[in-house]
């Protein structure tokens, strides 16, 4: 994977200013809206102000807040963000002031959840339930539609009163406005349904009335769905017509959303190629004369510059990449783009946290959302610190400690850093882990960490090193279940399977259905001769790049698996229930499409030359396979901990060595950073 290039001169378009409406944006990078749930955390205003200010200080041209409902019915959930009265302005003023202090513009996103709302006042364009929400919306009456339009206008007025430079009207991803525009969710027979002109009347009236109310100095961004990716969605011609109507109504700029939340096509997960949907953005840009913003899976300055210079868009919107590195733009400006902490699109600490009603942060940057907790922590006395192990926990601890001013020596037994990340990056579509390794390598170099590769640290050598602190990030070892025949030559560890040390046969049993088991199954069912291109991805998921069909869908291309794979688990719970909320469904669907069988409630009997012998509910089975791959969990490597304790030395234990659960890079990196700030 190509590393970010050094030299701001290589990004002339990305760093160039551009006029938008009555405003000039200092570069082409916009911090896209994302839900953070910071409003539910302690000190919510202080946290949000610090969060947005950090991105503004990092050089972003424009910040867009998370979505605020214009009315009670529009809230995403009970207690969700809302701006419907002047008594609620004070927190916004504090946030706006902090962003403006650092030279960035800021917009309030106005979002009405419609049928995606998780409360009892749920409404929609029609009484049609979403497949991802058990609640059925009540169809808005014509009077209520007028009231909702006025609520949008009043929310924009309040935003102006709070000092915002403008608003983003959320008209994509399946929320209320999108529900009016698409036949999928609009079966009305009045002036708000039927023809395309009637269906787009709702967003057109919102934009027109906001422009009339607030004048031309107020920036209006409209977020339009560039491709719906659902049956009954809009065609390319309908999207163009809507965009032109929105422009005529007074919008200054079009931001693009990709797909509805209920779409069965992944749009932002690691399995989605970078800029996979730029075709839809570039096509839309040709239909209007106002600037157009690209979004979704854009995470490097090289990619952003390519899209901008190619004419695919006028701005790039980045949300998660600015979670990962708030100084993204500043590093490009200062010819330090090789120091960017790149978003790996894992979704584990951002979207998955949001969906589980937790405050969002970032796997590669656990300080995101917690800026006030890590700020102004001066180092009293520098220490000499030994860090043993260069997996995610060890790398995070070593670099964070060195950044604070400690003198750090990093010991790694292998010939390169990375630990379990060296396995993760081999999984199809998880190549973004190479970016995280690149980032850590550069940080070790910049911070002067002494790295000793190929060095096995022992208790005696560490004791002789006279370290003030010793951090053990010694990781995990794969657990071997007590099954007769576990040492047979047809039994393979997941590490050997991933690294290609064994030529895996055509029939495979995988013991264990955690994340590693699913990853190995996905790898083994992917044909080696199928190039992982963007077009292959779009074909596999049935995306019509011409968007001639409603929603931009076509029959998907079914990929045949080169192997017959069976996953087995002891637990009786639903297989895959422990996978990530925002990515697990993708893996489950992929394996189902490859005809992978999953067996739960298994008792393992033995492994023989013929294959795996097991029973379910007392009924014996023989699964005839060429290889059995063991993905049955891990055990912590704590031998060095015991040796040090025996010498009277009490080290710090982090990462898998502290708690061996799957390959949890998120917890490992967070523990490493937290420890570095506590020493």
């Amino acid at each position: 994977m190509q590393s970010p290039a050094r030299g701001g001169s290589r990004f002339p378009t990305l760093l160039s200013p551009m006029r938008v409406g009555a405003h000039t944006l200092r570069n082409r990078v916009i911090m896209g809206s994302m839900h953070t749930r910071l409003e539910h955390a302690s000190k919510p205003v202080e946290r949000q102000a610090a969060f947005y200010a950090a991105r503004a200080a990092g050089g972003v041209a424009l910040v867009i807040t998370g979505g605020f409902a214009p009315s009670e019915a529009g809230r995403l959930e009970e207690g969700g963000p809302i701006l419907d009265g002047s008594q609620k302005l004070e927190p916004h003023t504090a946030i706006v002031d902090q962003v403006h202090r650092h030279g960035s513009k800021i917009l309030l996103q106005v979002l009405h959840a419609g049928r995606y709302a998780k409360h009892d006042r749920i409404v929609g364009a029609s009484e049609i339930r979403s497949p991802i929400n058990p609640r059925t919306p009540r169809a808005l009456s014509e009077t209520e539609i007028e009231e909702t339009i006025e609520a949008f206008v009043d929310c924009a007025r309040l935003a102006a009163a709070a000092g915002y430079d403008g608003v983003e009207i959320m008209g994509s991803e399946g929320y209320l406005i999108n529900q009016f525009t698409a036949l999928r969710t609009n079966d009305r027979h009045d002036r708000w349904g039927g023809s395309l002109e009637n269906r787009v009347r709702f967003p057109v009236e919102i934009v027109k009335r906001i422009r009339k109310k607030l004048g031309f100095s107020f920036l209006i961004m409209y977020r339009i769905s560039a491709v719906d990716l659902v049956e009954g969605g809009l065609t390319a011609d309908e999207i163009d017509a809507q965009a032109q109507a929105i422009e005529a109504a007074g919008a200054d700029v079009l931001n693009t959303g990709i797909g509805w939340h209920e779409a069965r096509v992944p749009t932002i997960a690691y399995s989605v190629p970078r800029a996979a949907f730029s075709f839809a953005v570039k096509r839309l840009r040709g239909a209007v004369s106002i600037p157009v913003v690209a979004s979704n899976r854009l995470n490097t300055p090289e990619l952003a510059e390519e899209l901008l210079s190619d004419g695919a868009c006028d701005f790039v919107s980045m949300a998660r990449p600015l979670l990962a590195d708030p100084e993204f733009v500043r590093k490009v400006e200062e010819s330090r783009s090789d120091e960017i902490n790149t978003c790996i699109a894992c979704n584990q600490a951002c979207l998955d946290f949001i969906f589980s009603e937790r405050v969002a942060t970032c796997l590669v940057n656990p300080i995101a959302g917690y800026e006030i907790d890590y700020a102004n922590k001066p180092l009293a006395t520098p220490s000499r610190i030994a860090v043993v192990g260069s997996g995610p926990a060890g790398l995070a601890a070593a670099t964070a400690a060195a950044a604070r001013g400690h003198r750090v020596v990093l010991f790694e037994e292998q010939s390169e850093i990375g630990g379990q990340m060296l396995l993760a990056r081999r999984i199809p579509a998880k190549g973004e882990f190479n970016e995280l390794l690149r980032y850590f390598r550069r940080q070790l170099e910049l911070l002067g960490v002494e790295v000793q590769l190929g060095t096995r640290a022992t208790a005696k050598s560490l004791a002789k090193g006279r370290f003030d602190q010793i951090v053990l990030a010694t990781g995990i070892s794969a657990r071997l279940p007590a099954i007769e025949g576990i040492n047979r030559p047809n039994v393979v560890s997941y590490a050997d399977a991933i690294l290609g040390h064994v030529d895996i046969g055509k029939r495979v049993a995988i013991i264990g259905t955690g994340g590693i088991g699913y990853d190995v199954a996905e790898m083994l069912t992917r044909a080696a001769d199928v190039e992982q291109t963007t077009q292959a991805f779009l074909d596999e998921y049935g995306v019509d790049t011409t968007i001639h069909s409603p929603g931009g869908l076509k029959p998907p291309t079914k990929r045949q698996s080169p192997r017959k794979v069976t996953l087995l688990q002891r637990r009786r719970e639903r297989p895959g229930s422990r996978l990530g909320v925002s990515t697990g469904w993708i893996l489950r669907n992929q394996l189902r499409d490859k005809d992978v069988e999953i067996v739960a409630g298994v008792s393992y009997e033995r492994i023989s030359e013929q294959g795996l012998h097991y029973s379910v509910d007392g009924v014996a089975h023989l699964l005839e396979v060429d290889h059995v791959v063991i993905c049955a969990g891990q055990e912590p490597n704590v031998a060095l901990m015991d040796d040090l304790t025996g010498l009277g030395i009490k080290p710090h234990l982090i990462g898998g060595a502290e708690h061996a659960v799957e390959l949890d890079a998120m917890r490992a990196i967070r523990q490493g950073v937290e420890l570095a700030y506590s020493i």
Side-chain angles (χ1 to χ4, degrees):
M1 183 172 297
Q2 184 177 3
S3 297
R6 291 180 63 83
S9 62
R10 297 194 60 182
F11 308 102
T13 315
L14 182 67
L15 298 178
S16 65
M18 185 174 185
R19 187 80 171 172
V20 179
H23 299 262
T24 298
L25 302 187
R26 59 185 175 182
N27 56 59
R28 306 300 183 89
V29 182
I30 294 172
M31 180 182 179
S33 173
M34 69 177 302
H35 308 301
T36 63
R37 292 185 61 85
L38 284 170
E39 67 275 6
H40 296 286
S42 63
K43 303 178 180 178
V45 177
E46 186 180 352
R47 288 189 185 280
Q48 291 177 81
F51 174 78
Y52 289 121
R55 278 75 197 165
V60 68
L62 174 67
V63 169
I64 306 174
T65 70
F68 282 80
S71 63
E72 284 290 339
R75 288 186 194 249
L76 279 167
E77 59 184 349
E78 294 291 352
I82 185 172
L83 182 56
D84 62 349
S86 58
Q87 75 279 8
K88 298 175 182 177
L89 290 180
E90 186 175 352
H92 292 273
T93 301
I95 294 168
V96 168
D97 288 347
Q98 284 296 309
V99 172
H100 283 164
R101 186 166 67 88
H102 294 289
S104 295
K105 307 285 186 178
I106 181 169
L107 306 183
L108 178 92
Q109 187 190 74
V110 189
L111 181 154
H112 193 301
R115 70 175 190 163
Y116 283 164
K118 300 177 182 178
H119 54 66
D120 295 335
R121 299 177 302 281
I122 182 172
V123 297
S126 299
E127 194 172 313
I128 302 174
R129 185 180 70 82
S130 166
I132 61 174
N133 192 347
R135 302 167 182 81
T136 299
R138 178 180 58 80
L140 288 166
S141 68
E142 289 200 65
T143 298
E144 289 173 319
I145 291 173
E146 286 289 344
E147 292 172 349
T148 302
I149 292 171
E150 289 305 314
F152 270 90
V153 176
D154 196 53
C155 188
R157 178 189 65 80
L158 291 168
Y164 286 100
D165 299 290
V167 292
E168 177 180 69
I169 303 302
M170 177 47 125
S172 69
E173 275 119 310
Y175 292 110
L176 180 68
I177 292 176
N178 225 171
Q179 293 161 26
F180 269 91
T181 62
L183 290 172
R184 174 185 181 86
T185 44
N186 186 342
D187 61 2
R188 304 179 71 98
H189 299 288
D190 55 17
R191 62 194 297 264
W192 306 99
S195 68
L196 179 66
E197 181 182 4
N198 284 353
R199 284 182 278 125
V200 302
R201 189 188 309 277
F202 184 61
V204 165
E205 285 298 315
I206 290 172
V207 173
K208 184 186 298 183
R209 295 183 198 184
I210 291 175
R211 177 59 72 211
K212 182 178 180 180
K213 182 77 172 181
L214 295 171
F216 288 95
S217 63
F218 192 73
L219 184 59
I220 301 178
M221 175 181 285
Y222 184 83
R223 185 154 165 176
I224 188 171
S225 183
V227 57
D228 287 336
L229 301 179
V230 290
E231 295 179 0
L234 273 61
T235 64
D237 289 344
E238 291 174 324
I239 294 169
D240 290 351
Q242 180 192 3
Q244 291 160 1
I246 294 296
E247 178 182 8
D252 295 304
V253 56
L254 293 178
N255 198 356
T256 55
I258 303 295
W260 290 31
H261 289 320
E262 61 205 65
R264 303 312 294 168
V265 180
T267 58
I268 58 174
Y270 57 80
S271 57
V272 180
R274 294 176 179 180
F277 300 99
S278 59
F279 69 87
V281 180
K282 186 173 184 178
R283 188 204 56 73
L284 179 63
R285 186 173 183 257
V288 294
S289 59
I290 56 177
V292 173
V293 184
S295 66
N296 288 57
R297 286 294 280 125
L298 313 177
N299 63 348
T300 70
E302 288 79 13
L303 180 57
E305 180 67 31
E306 179 183 343
L307 293 176
L308 290 163
S309 60
D310 187 47
C313 58
D314 300 286
F315 293 90
V316 291
S317 173
M318 297 181 177
R320 295 173 304 162
L322 290 163
L323 269 182
D325 197 330
E327 296 185 343
F328 185 102
V329 179
R330 186 74 65 227
K331 289 177 178 178
V332 176
E333 290 174 338
E334 297 175 355
S335 299
R336 298 189 295 123
S337 59
D338 61 343
E339 299 175 29
I340 291 173
N341 194 2
T342 305
C343 169
I344 63 173
C346 66
N347 295 347
Q348 291 183 37
C350 51
L351 294 183
D352 285 358
F353 273 26
I354 294 302
F355 293 148
S356 59
E357 300 184 351
R358 301 168 65 183
V359 173
T361 182
C362 179
L363 180 148
V364 305
N365 176 28
I367 293 176
Y370 295 88
E371 285 80 7
I372 65 173
D373 300 309
Y374 289 93
N376 302 318
K377 285 195 172 183
L379 183 63
T381 305
S383 297
R384 178 170 159 80
I385 300 174
V387 178
V388 183
S390 71
L395 290 171
T399 54
R404 296 194 68 219
H406 293 296
R407 301 185 304 277
V408 182
V409 181
L410 177 65
F411 298 93
E412 171 52 55
E413 186 175 3
Q414 303 303 316
S415 60
E416 62 178 316
I417 65 167
Q420 296 293 312
M421 288 189 290
L422 299 176
L423 297 180
R425 68 177 181 173
R426 298 290 295 268
I427 300 299
K430 283 192 175 180
E432 293 286 13
F433 270 97
N434 282 304
E435 293 286 3
L436 186 53
L437 285 166
R438 183 266 312 155
Y439 170 75
F440 276 126
R441 288 191 196 101
R442 183 64 175 138
Q443 291 301 304
L444 292 172
E445 177 186 358
L446 288 170
L447 295 167
V449 175
E450 181 183 338
V451 181
Q452 296 191 14
L453 297 176
T455 303
R456 182 180 179 85
T458 66
K460 289 183 179 180
S461 65
L462 291 171
K464 290 179 180 179
R466 298 185 181 277
F467 292 101
D468 299 305
Q469 305 278 352
I470 297 175
V471 179
L472 299 187
T474 45
I476 54 89
S477 296
R479 187 175 68 84
L480 288 179
I483 303 173
E484 181 183 341
I486 195 70
N487 294 315
R488 290 188 53 83
N490 59 339
V491 179
V492 182
S493 70
Y494 66 77
D496 283 342
I498 292 172
L499 294 172
H501 292 167
V502 177
D503 186 12
I504 304 295
K506 297 295 185 182
R507 302 170 301 167
V508 183
I510 298 176
I511 292 179
T513 59
I516 298 172
Y518 271 83
D519 279 347
V520 171
E522 201 275 332
M523 181 185 74
L524 294 179
T525 55
R526 188 175 289 271
D529 59 347
V530 175
E531 188 177 359
Q532 301 307 307
T533 63
T534 296
Q535 190 58 54
F537 166 84
L538 296 172
D539 289 342
E540 182 177 356
Y541 282 97
V543 177
D544 171 19
T545 56
T546 67
I547 321 181
H548 285 161
S549 59
L553 296 177
K554 66 179 182 180
T557 300
K558 185 175 176 60
R559 306 290 183 190
Q560 296 297 322
S561 170
R563 298 178 179 86
K564 171 58 181 174
V565 174
T566 304
L567 278 163
L568 304 100
Q569 69 177 36
R570 294 184 188 272
R571 301 184 305 275
R572 291 186 176 275
E573 66 185 39
R574 182 172 68 92
S577 61
R578 301 184 185 186
L579 299 175
V581 178
S582 62
T583 54
W585 66 272
I586 302 171
L587 273 172
R588 287 191 292 268
N589 287 351
Q590 284 177 331
L591 297 192
R592 182 199 62 212
D593 292 344
K594 302 290 179 56
D595 299 319
V596 172
E597 183 180 0
I598 305 178
V599 185
V602 170
S603 295
Y604 301 110
E605 307 297 340
R606 63 189 176 93
I607 300 170
S608 69
E609 184 179 358
Q610 287 73 38
L612 177 64
H613 301 258
Y614 68 95
S615 62
V616 177
D617 295 328
V619 178
H621 299 269
L622 168 62
L623 187 60
E624 296 186 69
V625 294
D626 303 303
H627 286 99
V628 177
V629 181
I630 307 299
C631 303
Q634 297 81 28
E635 296 174 341
N637 291 331
V638 294
L640 184 53
M641 173 77 169
D642 296 337
D643 292 344
L644 286 168
T645 303
L647 294 178
I649 300 173
K650 186 177 180 180
H652 302 279
L653 199 62
I654 60 174
E658 186 269 333
H659 187 56
V661 178
E662 289 288 331
L663 302 182
D664 194 346
M666 177 179 65
R667 180 178 55 83
I669 292 174
R670 175 178 53 78
Q671 281 188 330
V673 172
E674 287 179 348
L675 176 61
Y677 273 84
S678 70
I679 295 176

